[in-house]
Amino acid sequence: MSVPTSPAALFLVCTAIWGSTWLAITWQLGVVAPEVSVVYRFALASALIGAGCAATGRSLRFGFADHVRFAAWGAMFFGVNYVAVYYAERDVTSGIVAVVFAAIVVASAGGMRVFYGTPITARMVVAAALGLGGVVLLFLPELGSAPSGSRAAIGIAWAFLSMLLATAGNLVAVSVPMKRLPVFPITAWGMFYGALSAALVAVLVGARWTFDARWPYVASLAYLAVFGSVFAFGAYLTLLKAVGAGPASWVGVSTPVVAMLLSTAFEGYRWTTAAVVGVVLAVVGNILALRPPRSDRS
């Protein structure tokens, strides 16, 4: 339950774990429906965090208005968002999904402007253009590889939807009422509502409730629930409260790099010139978007 407290350590924990969870998700696909796997992951993580809170005397009691926020946040940030991620990874490699998800840096900036009045600078516009151009270049080899191009397009669409849902959840998380609440108790509730929303999706699509007892599925589920959900989300939310949404989103720069390296090693992802340029542009765009204003730098 304990996580580091320094921003640098929190950043490293999030990068190392989340960079590998994209690959771990691929071991969840096959026997068990994606929606059901998401339910298992976040129900288990919620139970673990809730038990830890109870053992350490952290109260899990909140008012009705807080639970409304938890439900909205959990559905977008933990539930339906991850259903879309699992859908995406059925059709495109995990590294590409991670790069698409990194666009949350720019999307969050736009959301902060719309909902919180945070100004958008010319630098952010340039960063968005670089990031978008990089993602397009990264997709070109996938979309051009007939007959799998149409499936890749569907996977990419799901990846974009997951990023937009996570952005919406991120904006709820940085609202003043949420920022004043303790990290782990609200994470337990957020993951509970995330599992609940994924279960609702499973019911709506008629998914079968099965379980895969083979070790790849069980091991990946344990890793995603304990490390990818409990420790990494705890570290990220602590970082979010400590430094704010913008600086915390730096995790989005490093995570896809780790994910692409793992995708190359374990999924046989083949690099092209367009893909290399695309990843570089996407990362540069994120770095540019997250650099502090000139007046804030020493």
Side-chain angles (χ1 to χ4, degrees), residues 35 40 87 143-144 158 160 175 219 227 285:
E35 309 86 358
Y40 292 157
Y87 285 172
L143 297 176
W158 281 117
F160 267 109
S175 65
F227 291 95

Side-chain angles (χ1 to χ4, degrees), residues 64-234:
F64 177 77
D66 289 326
H67 277 280
V68 171
R69 297 185 186 96
F70 299 161
W73 173 52
M76 292 183 290
F77 201 70
F78 298 113
V80 185
N81 156 37
Y82 272 91
V83 171
V85 168
Y86 281 50
Y87 285 172
E89 292 201 18
R90 294 184 301 188
D91 297 315
V92 292
T93 59
S94 61
I96 289 181
V97 178
V99 173
V100 175
F101 200 84
I104 192 174
V105 173
V106 174
S108 292
M112 292 294 289
R113 175 68 181 92
V114 171
F115 293 100
Y116 298 109
T118 305
I120 294 181
T121 62
R123 176 167 51 84
M124 182 59 71
V125 174
V126 174
L130 287 174
L132 179 60
V135 169
V136 170
L137 284 175
L138 182 65
F139 291 159
L140 289 179
E142 298 287 324
L143 297 176
S145 58
S148 60
S150 59
R151 292 194 62 84
I154 293 172
I156 290 166
W158 281 117
F160 267 109
L161 177 61
S162 73
M163 181 273 295
L164 293 174
L165 288 167
T167 298
N170 209 26
L171 294 172
V172 174
V174 299
S175 65
V176 173
M178 287 282 285
K179 289 177 70 174
R180 291 175 176 171
L181 299 175
V183 170
F184 283 109
I186 70 172
T187 302
W189 280 114
M191 290 184 177
F192 169 79
Y193 286 115
L196 201 61
S197 66
L200 178 59
V201 174
V203 171
L204 291 175
V205 302
R208 293 177 61 241
W209 290 83
T210 59
F211 188 80
D212 187 352
R214 293 175 297 177
W215 77 264
Y217 185 86
V218 175
S220 60
L221 176 61
Y223 181 76
L224 289 167
V226 177
F227 291 95
S229 301
V230 176
F231 286 99
F233 275 116

Side-chain angles (χ1 to χ4, degrees), residues 268-297:
Y269 178 77
R270 295 185 178 182
W271 290 87
T272 63
T273 301
V276 171
V277 175
V279 171
V280 170
L281 287 178
V283 170
V284 170
N286 278 3
I287 292 174
L288 184 61
L290 293 170
R291 287 180 65 192
R294 187 180 303 272
S295 59
D296 292 345
R297 300 198 298 268

